[in-house]
Amino acid sequence: MRDEADQDPVIRLRSIRTQFGSHVVHDGLDLDVYRGEILGVVGGSGTGKSVLLRSIAGLQRPTEGEIEVLGTDVRKASEAERAALERRWGVMFQDGALFSSLNVRENVEVPMRAVEGLDPDLRRAMADLKISMSGLPYLAGDKYPSELSGGMRKRAGLARALALDPEIVFLDEPTAGLDPIGAADFDTLIRRLSDTMGLTVFLVTHDLDTLHAICDRIAVLAEKKVLVTGTMDEMLKVDHPWVHDYFHGPRARAALAAKDAQKEG
Amino acid sequence: MPATVTTDQTDDGSVLRLGGAFALADLTGLHKALMRAAAAGPVTVDLTEVTRLDTAAAWAIAEAEKAAQSAGHALHLEGADEGAAALIDTVRAALPDPDTQTKPAFSLLHWLDGFGRSVAAGGVFLSQLLGILGVFIARLGRSVLHPSEFRLTSLVHHCQEVGLKAVPIVALMAFLIGVVLAFQGAAQLRQFGAEVFVVDLIAVSILRELGILLTAIIVAGRTASAFTAAIGSMKMREEIDAMRTLGIDPATALIVPRVLALLLMLPILGMIANATGLFGGALMSWIELGISPGLFVTRLVENTDVSHLMVGTIKAPFFAIVIGIVGCHAGLQVGNNAESLGRQTSAAVVTAIFSVIVIDALFSVFFAQVGI
Ligand SMILES: Nc1ncnc2c1ncn2[C@@H]1O[C@H](COP(=O)(O)OP(=O)(O)OP(=O)(O)O)[C@@H](O)[C@H]1O
Ligand SMILES: [Mg+2]
């Protein structure tokens, strides 16, 4: 998955500018995401990672710039084009954002209801399958979101994001607030789903272990734009002060050591 | 390219040729075709022409495989590329073992079980209400013994919220009830030439029943819901647990001032309702029947026994306690999601109004027996 450079990008951002009042969040931001890769987006708090994710997923409009997803210009698309596009991507929100009045299975069925000619029994079975593939017990579908732990809610949110077999998934801090074992499981899950379903993953994270474990490429958001992109090894060689501190800080060293230990063991 | 499924019959069973890009919309047809073939005999599934296999199609294949096995045939996969094979493996791994799946069947026993549970839940609900009443009384007693623990500021604040701010709506409601009573009473009594008895009609019905009952219903609607929402949102954000860890007793801080404020304010609101109700009645009698205010007051004072006022007023503290306890209890029942806050708030209003009416009915029976 390392030679995407000559492929067509599935997400193509050009000179994005986002502004809230006088507060400029992005200015002249460019980014390409290639098919089948897992791109990790990192950056300090408040640098606009979540805003960027929301802009690409069409939940928010940037002030200026071009956003092309799967060959469609998101900002100029008609309603019908947008609807077609939305079925080809899934978004997992930070706390799952499950509908609290529906149980987990019904939550996963929500996007499937728009599919015409799908038998209700088959829809249920597919929802159960997605729940099970997301690492929840097969019968967790009967539970309501309020009865789940934070980690289970995230998995259920992922199951819903995957309901229509999307080509791209957007994940906002998927491992935040999970215990280390749960976080590592989640990483493996994302990697496996990406490999078997050919998913392109746009992943916002602060978790250095995730970056080491599953990301094909990393994009660093700083100074209002994407400062550098590249593999983990390339990141370690960047000498921009913030990037250097980020990837060489005490936590980064610990994550690196853990990764090396895993390789040897 | 849209998905296609073609079935050929050969000597060694059927061959299903899949082609194109599969999506969820194609599942129903594919599932049917696969299941039919798997039930009939040996099947070969040819994936050579498939450009995109989705999880739904992979699931249908895995299910057909199981069905074929249990029918004693074999299902062969052909032409699956690496990605498709991996996906089918993942789906197979995610499917449950048949015996872990339990579906509760509906039966009479099931229904009885549910019925029993809801009866028991009703009992638990009543005992919890009693529990809160007990806590209220205990903490109130404690506050009398240790006045420094008492939260006067909080009490005054709640008196303002519960009492003062409810005065306009209560007064207006009672005034209109007085007007309506006078108007309707006049129409009936005029037929007998007994117009002047409209004064007794208004006085008895307002002082004895309507003034305090309607006030209590309005207060139940606006205050019980406010108590539930306030306490419930604190419960939801774990503020109540935080209080406990900081050594603050939630009952003293939250329940006592609220219920006490209601206990003090509801009788006063009832009095205001009585006054404006009588005023509305007098005004309408004057306009409609020509009963002068002087005559109204004279008849009111001479003919209306003070026991009517007593009967009305004695109910106020009972209503107040019930509304306050129901509101606080519902607030404490809120879970950690916004939905339960909404559900408890509306449940609190319904329960409070219903309880007020039940208590009023019990009092009516009681006073009728006692003969007041
Ligand atoms: N709707 C909004 N209105 C005004 N300002 C906003 C809005 N949404 C985001 N911002 C601002 O945009 C900036 C970027 O926010 P964003 O949530 O994208 O940060 P982030 O990079 O995701 O941070 P974190 O890592 O803490 O999640 C912040 O300074 C925030 O105050
Ligand atoms: Mg964020």
Side-chain angles (χ1 to χ4, degrees):
Chain A
M1 304 237 159
R2 289 291 141 85
D3 52 359
E4 303 89 349
D6 40 37
Q7 287 185 343
D8 263 353
V10 284
I11 301 176
R12 193 168 152 274
L13 308 180
R14 288 293 174 269
S15 33
I16 299 294
R17 181 184 171 83
T18 315
Q19 202 169 346
F20 296 104
S22 62
H23 176 61
V24 180
V25 180
H26 304 132
D27 193 9
L29 181 149
D30 296 341
L31 181 66
D32 287 323
V33 185
Y34 300 102
R35 187 172 291 281
E37 74 172 343
I38 301 185
L39 176 79
V41 178
V42 301
S45 280
T47 47
K49 303 180 295 294
S50 302
V51 170
L52 186 65
L53 185 152
R54 292 172 57 85
S55 305
I56 303 173
L59 299 169
Q60 202 163 347
R61 280 180 81 88
T63 324
E64 272 169 41
E66 265 177 63
I67 301 182
E68 211 180 274
V69 182
L70 298 164
T72 311
D73 188 332
V74 176
R75 279 163 49 97
K76 297 204 189 92
S78 66
E79 293 246 334
E81 285 172 328
R82 288 276 333 248
L85 201 54
E86 273 164 14
R87 284 192 209 151
R88 296 173 66 188
W89 75 51
V91 183
M92 190 197 113
F93 293 89
Q94 182 150 0
D95 197 35
L98 301 171
F99 303 117
S100 53
S101 55
L102 304 178
N103 67 23
V104 172
R105 183 182 301 109
E106 289 161 347
N107 261 287
V108 179
E109 281 183 62
V110 167
M112 298 183 185
R113 282 174 196 277
V115 177
E116 275 170 40
L118 182 62
D119 187 80
D121 286 337
L122 291 181
R123 193 173 63 210
R124 270 178 72 92
M126 285 314 297
D128 281 335
L129 175 67
K130 291 284 154 66
I131 291 167
S132 164
M133 282 174 76
S134 307
L136 287 170
Y138 192 75
L139 291 174
D142 292 320
K143 295 223 164 88
Y144 281 85
S146 56
E147 299 166 338
L148 302 179
S149 71
M152 291 172 88
R153 273 205 293 277
K154 284 191 186 202
R155 285 173 192 270
L158 182 65
R160 190 177 66 182
L162 295 177
L164 296 180
D165 273 24
E167 291 164 51
I168 308 175
V169 282
F170 297 97
L171 310 175
D172 197 351
E173 304 196 15
T175 53
L178 296 187
D179 67 276
I181 298 174
D185 281 354
F186 210 95
D187 287 345
T188 330
L189 173 69
I190 293 170
R191 180 81 255 180
R192 208 183 62 229
L193 291 174
S194 162
D195 288 347
T196 49
M197 297 168 70
L199 276 177
T200 307
V201 181
F202 182 100
L203 178 132
V204 172
T205 189
H206 287 298
D207 189 336
L208 286 152
D209 292 315
T210 306
L211 293 175
H212 278 294
I214 62 167
C215 290
D216 296 312
R217 272 190 329 135
I218 295 167
V220 180
L221 222 64
E223 296 169 6
K224 305 191 169 79
K225 54 186 179 231
V226 176
L227 202 63
V228 279
T229 59
T231 61
M232 194 67 197
D233 294 334
E234 286 160 9
M235 288 299 124
L236 292 170
K237 292 183 196 116
V238 176
D239 55 7
H240 181 277
W242 191 87
V243 181
H244 187 271
D245 285 356
Y246 193 96
F247 292 104
H248 290 90
R251 283 163 172 259
R253 276 199 298 277
L256 195 60
K259 164 113 185 183
D260 289 343
Q262 207 174 30
K263 261 190 208 153
E264 283 156 23
Chain B
M1 197 173 69
T4 53
V5 183
T6 46
T7 313
D8 292 330
Q9 296 297 338
T10 64
D11 296 341
D12 338 319
S14 44
V15 178
L16 266 85
R17 277 180 233 288
L18 314 192
F22 279 86
L24 198 50
D26 308 311
L27 176 62
T28 313
L30 175 65
H31 185 251
K32 221 181 264 164
L34 275 168
M35 281 310 196
R36 197 180 309 133
V43 195
T44 309
V45 179
D46 185 354
L47 300 178
T48 321
E49 301 291 311
V50 171
T51 51
R52 178 172 192 258
L53 191 78
D54 71 337
T55 24
W59 173 79
I61 293 170
E63 284 283 289
E65 203 172 46
K66 270 205 256 169
Q69 262 163 20
S70 62
H73 323 300
L75 185 146
H76 293 291
L77 267 183
E78 262 172 30
D81 61 18
E82 205 180 308
L87 183 60
I88 296 174
D89 279 341
T90 311
V91 168
R92 266 193 213 118
L95 284 177
D97 304 332
D99 53 359
T100 56
Q101 213 175 356
T102 52
K103 258 208 188 114
F106 185 82
S107 65
L108 183 66
L109 197 67
H110 201 73
W111 181 83
L112 265 180
D113 178 68
F115 181 72
R117 275 174 206 281
S118 50
V119 171
V124 169
F125 174 71
L126 281 182
S127 71
Q128 281 176 344
L129 282 187
L130 274 179
I132 295 209
L133 178 62
V135 168
F136 167 68
I137 293 172
R139 295 298 188 279
L140 193 62
R142 203 182 145 83
S143 301
V144 172
L145 296 180
H146 308 273
S148 64
E149 280 179 25
F150 187 69
R151 299 179 165 247
L152 188 64
T153 325
S154 180
L155 176 67
V156 173
H157 167 77
H158 287 299
C159 284
Q160 175 179 351
E161 289 294 318
V162 170
L164 197 58
K165 290 194 177 168
V167 167
I169 178 82
V170 165
L172 179 64
M173 176 273 311
F175 175 80
L176 292 176
I177 292 293
V179 167
V180 169
L181 277 178
F183 201 71
Q184 294 298 328
Q188 300 300 319
L189 292 171
R190 196 182 282 131
Q191 297 176 13
F192 312 106
E195 288 97 329
V196 81
F197 283 100
V198 84
V199 181
D200 304 66
L201 172 75
I202 294 169
V204 171
S205 49
I206 286 191
L207 293 182
R208 204 178 162 102
E209 284 290 336
L210 293 182
I212 190 62
L213 179 64
L214 293 176
T215 305
I217 287 176
I218 284 193
V219 169
R222 81 186 274 291
T223 308
S225 58
F227 284 4
T228 307
I231 296 180
S233 57
M234 294 182 76
K235 179 94 192 301
M236 214 167 79
R237 291 186 303 237
E238 299 186 321
E239 287 175 45
I240 294 190
D241 296 334
M243 279 184 161
R244 285 214 180 91
T245 61
L246 297 173
I248 303 169
D249 175 35
T252 313
L254 300 176
I255 297 179
V256 170
R258 284 188 168 81
V259 180
L260 195 59
L262 254 183
L263 204 53
L264 296 176
M265 287 298 123
L266 194 62
I268 299 178
L269 285 175
M271 288 299 172
I272 293 173
N274 287 345
T276 51
L278 290 176
F279 174 70
L283 196 67
M284 204 60 201
S285 313
W286 193 19
I287 296 171
E288 187 62 20
L289 298 170
I291 298 174
S292 72
L295 178 58
F296 191 96
V297 171
T298 319
R299 266 200 85 84
L300 181 68
V301 172
E302 282 175 3
N303 276 24
T304 316
D305 199 281
V306 76
S307 71
H308 296 309
L309 183 61
M310 300 290 291
V311 164
T313 316
I314 198 95
K315 295 185 241 178
F318 292 88
F319 291 161
I321 296 263
V322 164
I323 295 169
I325 297 289
V326 166
C328 291
H329 171 262
L332 291 173
Q333 295 303 305
V334 169
N336 53 6
N337 57 339
E339 210 209 356
S340 71
L341 179 62
R343 204 173 42 231
Q344 290 296 343
T345 307
S346 62
V349 172
V350 174
T351 314
I353 292 180
F354 178 72
S355 321
V356 161
I357 292 173
V358 168
I359 293 180
D360 192 62
L362 292 179
F363 267 113
S364 295
V365 174
F366 172 74
F367 287 128
Q369 292 294 320
V370 177
I372 302 176

